[in-house]
Amino acid sequence: MLTRRHIRVKVMQCIYALVQSKDDSLAKQEKFLRVSMENMYVLYLLMLSLLVELHKMAVMHVGHASKKYLATADDNFPDREKFIKNRLLLQIANNESLNNELSKRKLNQWYLNEEYIKIIYKAVVASDVYQAYMNNGKDSYEDDRDVVLHLFREIIAPNEKLYEFFEDEKLTWVDDLPIVNTYLVKRLKKANESSGERFFLPALLKDQADMDYANELLTKTLLNDAKWEKEIEGKTPNWDNDRIAEIDSIILKMAICELLNFPSIPEKVTLNEYLEIAKEYSTPKSSIFINGVLDKLAKEYKTTGRLQKIGRGLQ
């Protein structure tokens, strides 16, 4: 689920938290990193279970509507039960592995905060996307999947109330939400009628090597902070260290650490990844500044032989 870029961002956030708290306990930071990464998976589970709750509310709404004597707006649809029969939603709603995971982790936020489900459900049924789906007369998995994707991207993910809810629940989720939402959209796009239960519950990390990489990047960046500071000073003669934003300084130190301590990671990958992170988490001017500093350092490391890369195509 988490890519190397996500891991880099998590390490960056962890170091930033250390700087802000002035806590120099490496053990605490390693624990913070693990918990922060695990919380991203919790957020993913909550977003997935949000679809389950919306489906439950739709079932309840249709059930109530069928008992009314007066006609409702739903009666005008060719099949007022079309949404609750949505194949993708049923795959998720009937996913026992997901239900077990939610139960094991005691993730009952939606049960305790049903008002958010009601807000989003009202927005969903009032949307043009929902209305078009209920009236189009189509009956296929592809149509079912497309409406879930459109509703998620256009109605659910951008919902400000939902954003406020996650911000109140856990502050770090503010940065995690776009990453989780993007991943969930990609996952739903790949879903098909034969997708098993585990398809919707991917592993947090590809393998142990990713966790090892995260811990090593965190540890080597922190333990060599003074060393990386000097590397930066040498390439920013006209800049006082106090003028370099903390987040820019952290990104530079992580990039330098990776260039010099991770021989299996290609130089271009490191430079491109940290430049993209700078663009997303810092200012446009900062990304230009960081790019210039890293470019100078990479050339110097090559010339002096400090940049040692192993494997084909890694130079």
Side-chain angles (χ1 to χ4, degrees):
M1 178 178 168
L2 293 185
T3 66
R4 284 292 176 99
R5 179 176 298 176
H6 298 152
I7 293 172
R8 290 179 176 97
V9 169
K10 279 292 161 192
V11 172
M12 178 192 73
Q13 292 171 342
C14 187
I15 295 174
Y16 183 78
L18 180 149
V19 172
Q20 295 299 305
S21 66
K22 296 180 172 57
D23 187 340
D24 59 359
S25 170
L26 187 58
K28 284 185 179 179
Q29 293 311 311
E30 290 176 335
K31 181 179 179 181
F32 179 87
L33 177 61
R34 289 194 301 273
V35 171
S36 181
M37 291 169 68
E38 179 63 28
N39 280 336
M40 281 193 74
Y41 194 70
V42 172
L43 181 58
Y44 169 81
L45 291 174
L46 287 175
M47 290 304 296
L48 197 59
S49 64
L50 174 61
L51 297 177
V52 176
E53 296 303 318
L54 288 175
H55 183 263
K56 286 180 182 177
M57 188 155 286
V59 171
M60 182 176 67
H61 177 80
V62 170
H64 287 171
S66 67
K67 297 175 183 178
K68 291 181 179 178
Y69 291 105
L70 297 177
T72 64
D74 288 348
D75 292 323
N76 296 321
F77 297 136
D79 180 2
R80 67 181 182 183
E81 295 186 355
K82 182 177 181 181
F83 190 69
I84 67 175
K85 293 189 291 189
N86 182 288
R87 295 165 179 83
L88 177 54
L89 287 179
L90 284 172
Q91 276 181 308
I92 300 171
N94 296 330
N95 191 316
E96 286 301 319
S97 296
L98 172 60
N99 291 332
N100 291 337
E101 196 69 29
L102 294 171
S103 177
K104 182 178 71 175
R105 295 171 181 266
K106 299 180 180 178
L107 299 179
N108 58 354
Q109 279 88 337
W110 302 132
Y111 176 78
L112 299 173
N113 298 276
E114 190 181 19
E115 66 272 20
Y116 290 97
I117 304 299
K118 291 178 179 178
I119 289 170
I120 296 171
Y121 180 73
K122 287 180 180 178
V124 164
V125 297
S127 68
D128 292 339
V129 174
Y130 178 85
Q131 297 294 319
Y133 169 75
M134 295 297 288
N135 281 305
N136 66 17
K138 297 178 181 178
D139 182 22
S140 68
Y141 186 91
E142 290 69 25
D143 185 48
D144 289 348
R145 181 180 58 206
D146 286 347
V147 74
V148 173
L149 282 166
H150 286 142
L151 288 172
F152 188 85
R153 284 186 295 216
E154 298 173 26
I155 308 298
I156 300 172
N159 188 279
E160 290 185 8
K161 290 293 183 182
L162 190 61
Y163 182 89
E164 291 172 4
F165 167 75
F166 283 123
E167 186 177 29
D168 291 339
E169 281 285 298
K170 201 174 296 292
L171 189 58
T172 56
W173 279 347
V174 173
D175 287 328
D176 295 341
L177 197 54
I179 296 173
V180 169
N181 285 343
T182 298
Y183 178 82
L184 184 52
V185 165
K186 290 180 179 178
R187 202 69 181 169
L188 294 176
K189 276 185 179 179
K190 294 179 180 178
N192 57 57
E193 289 183 275
S194 61
S195 295
E197 290 191 349
R198 299 308 304 179
F199 171 83
F200 297 97
L201 296 171
L204 175 63
L205 296 171
K206 183 175 65 176
D207 50 35
Q208 181 58 38
D210 278 348
M211 193 68 241
D212 293 340
Y213 164 75
N215 285 325
E216 190 174 355
L217 180 60
L218 173 69
T219 302
K220 289 188 175 180
T221 300
L222 291 175
L223 293 181
N224 296 283
D225 182 76
K227 181 180 177 181
W228 310 141
E229 192 83 46
K230 289 182 180 179
E231 297 282 348
I232 296 170
E233 286 176 4
K235 291 297 169 289
T236 56
N238 299 322
W239 284 71
D240 187 321
N241 280 348
D242 292 337
R243 290 179 59 199
I244 301 177
E246 282 183 340
I247 200 73
D248 296 347
S249 177
I250 292 169
I251 291 172
L252 282 170
K253 289 172 183 177
M254 288 176 61
I256 294 168
C257 176
E258 189 168 302
L259 281 170
L260 297 178
N261 290 279
F262 293 81
S264 64
I265 300 177
E267 170 203 343
K268 287 183 179 179
V269 170
T270 296
L271 297 180
N272 289 339
E273 287 292 299
Y274 286 101
L275 183 56
E276 289 302 313
I277 291 173
K279 288 178 181 177
E280 185 171 352
Y281 289 90
S282 197
T283 67
K285 287 185 178 180
S286 291
S287 62
I288 295 171
F289 167 71
I290 289 171
N291 186 45
V293 173
L294 291 180
D295 185 59
K296 288 180 185 178
L297 285 169
K299 289 177 180 176
E300 178 186 296
Y301 296 155
K302 279 184 178 179
T303 302
T304 59
R306 294 177 67 191
L307 191 68
Q308 298 293 325
K309 297 294 180 181
I310 58 175
R312 297 182 62 182
L314 293 179
Q315 294 295 333

